PDB file of all heavy atoms in Angstrom:
ATOM      1  N   TYR A  49      38.818  98.785 135.027  1.00  0.00           N
ATOM      2  CA  TYR A  49      39.704  98.936 136.128  1.00  0.00           C
ATOM      3  C   TYR A  49      39.158  98.256 137.368  1.00  0.00           C
ATOM      4  O   TYR A  49      39.768  97.373 137.952  1.00  0.00           O
ATOM      5  CB  TYR A  49      39.756 100.433 136.302  1.00  0.00           C
ATOM      6  CG  TYR A  49      40.824 100.946 137.147  1.00  0.00           C
ATOM      7  CD1 TYR A  49      42.138 100.708 136.822  1.00  0.00           C
ATOM      8  CD2 TYR A  49      40.498 101.704 138.250  1.00  0.00           C
ATOM      9  CE1 TYR A  49      43.116 101.242 137.606  1.00  0.00           C
ATOM     10  CE2 TYR A  49      41.483 102.233 139.011  1.00  0.00           C
ATOM     11  CZ  TYR A  49      42.793 102.010 138.694  1.00  0.00           C
ATOM     12  OH  TYR A  49      43.750 102.535 139.470  1.00  0.00           O
ATOM     13  N   TYR A  50      37.931  98.649 137.729  1.00  0.00           N
ATOM     14  CA  TYR A  50      37.344  98.089 138.931  1.00  0.00           C
ATOM     15  C   TYR A  50      37.019  96.616 138.743  1.00  0.00           C
ATOM     16  O   TYR A  50      37.102  95.832 139.669  1.00  0.00           O
ATOM     17  CB  TYR A  50      36.091  98.861 139.323  1.00  0.00           C
ATOM     18  CG  TYR A  50      36.413 100.261 139.763  1.00  0.00           C
ATOM     19  CD1 TYR A  50      35.898 101.359 139.103  1.00  0.00           C
ATOM     20  CD2 TYR A  50      37.265 100.469 140.838  1.00  0.00           C
ATOM     21  CE1 TYR A  50      36.216 102.636 139.509  1.00  0.00           C
ATOM     22  CE2 TYR A  50      37.596 101.743 141.240  1.00  0.00           C
ATOM     23  CZ  TYR A  50      37.061 102.831 140.569  1.00  0.00           C
ATOM     24  OH  TYR A  50      37.382 104.082 140.972  1.00  0.00           O
ATOM     25  N   GLY A  51      36.663  96.290 137.521  1.00  0.00           N
ATOM     26  CA  GLY A  51      36.328  94.910 137.247  1.00  0.00           C
ATOM     27  C   GLY A  51      37.481  93.971 137.550  1.00  0.00           C
ATOM     28  O   GLY A  51      37.307  92.912 138.138  1.00  0.00           O
ATOM     29  N   GLN A  52      38.667  94.415 137.193  1.00  0.00           N
ATOM     30  CA  GLN A  52      39.833  93.575 137.451  1.00  0.00           C
ATOM     31  C   GLN A  52      40.073  93.406 138.941  1.00  0.00           C
ATOM     32  O   GLN A  52      40.302  92.308 139.426  1.00  0.00           O
ATOM     33  CB  GLN A  52      41.065  94.206 136.813  1.00  0.00           C
ATOM     34  CG  GLN A  52      41.147  93.915 135.336  1.00  0.00           C
ATOM     35  CD  GLN A  52      42.301  94.635 134.722  1.00  0.00           C
ATOM     36  OE1 GLN A  52      42.792  95.617 135.270  1.00  0.00           O
ATOM     37  NE2 GLN A  52      42.733  94.168 133.570  1.00  0.00           N
ATOM     38  N   PHE A  53      39.956  94.511 139.664  1.00  0.00           N
ATOM     39  CA  PHE A  53      40.135  94.429 141.107  1.00  0.00           C
ATOM     40  C   PHE A  53      39.143  93.460 141.703  1.00  0.00           C
ATOM     41  O   PHE A  53      39.432  92.679 142.589  1.00  0.00           O
ATOM     42  CB  PHE A  53      39.907  95.792 141.744  1.00  0.00           C
ATOM     43  CG  PHE A  53      40.999  96.755 141.416  1.00  0.00           C
ATOM     44  CD1 PHE A  53      40.710  98.063 141.092  1.00  0.00           C
ATOM     45  CD2 PHE A  53      42.319  96.350 141.438  1.00  0.00           C
ATOM     46  CE1 PHE A  53      41.719  98.940 140.793  1.00  0.00           C
ATOM     47  CE2 PHE A  53      43.327  97.229 141.144  1.00  0.00           C
ATOM     48  CZ  PHE A  53      43.024  98.530 140.820  1.00  0.00           C
ATOM     49  N   LEU A  54      37.945  93.581 141.151  1.00  0.00           N
ATOM     50  CA  LEU A  54      36.866  92.813 141.692  1.00  0.00           C
ATOM     51  C   LEU A  54      37.091  91.322 141.536  1.00  0.00           C
ATOM     52  O   LEU A  54      36.911  90.543 142.460  1.00  0.00           O
ATOM     53  CB  LEU A  54      35.640  93.235 140.904  1.00  0.00           C
ATOM     54  CG  LEU A  54      34.312  92.945 141.495  1.00  0.00           C
ATOM     55  CD1 LEU A  54      33.438  94.100 141.160  1.00  0.00           C
ATOM     56  CD2 LEU A  54      33.810  91.695 140.869  1.00  0.00           C
ATOM     57  N   SER A  55      37.565  90.954 140.357  1.00  0.00           N
ATOM     58  CA  SER A  55      37.793  89.520 140.173  1.00  0.00           C
ATOM     59  C   SER A  55      38.894  89.052 141.111  1.00  0.00           C
ATOM     60  O   SER A  55      38.894  87.922 141.568  1.00  0.00           O
ATOM     61  CB  SER A  55      38.141  89.228 138.722  1.00  0.00           C
ATOM     62  OG  SER A  55      39.378  89.800 138.428  1.00  0.00           O
ATOM     63  N   LEU A  56      39.804  89.963 141.419  1.00  0.00           N
ATOM     64  CA  LEU A  56      40.848  89.587 142.363  1.00  0.00           C
ATOM     65  C   LEU A  56      40.271  89.386 143.761  1.00  0.00           C
ATOM     66  O   LEU A  56      40.666  88.484 144.488  1.00  0.00           O
ATOM     67  CB  LEU A  56      41.928  90.658 142.394  1.00  0.00           C
ATOM     68  CG  LEU A  56      42.768  90.726 141.134  1.00  0.00           C
ATOM     69  CD1 LEU A  56      43.679  91.927 141.152  1.00  0.00           C
ATOM     70  CD2 LEU A  56      43.582  89.465 140.989  1.00  0.00           C
TER      71      LEU A  56
END
Side-chain angles (χ1 to χ4, degrees):
Chain A
Y49 194 60
Y50 293 120
Q52 279 175 339
F53 290 138
L54 199 143
S55 67
L56 290 172

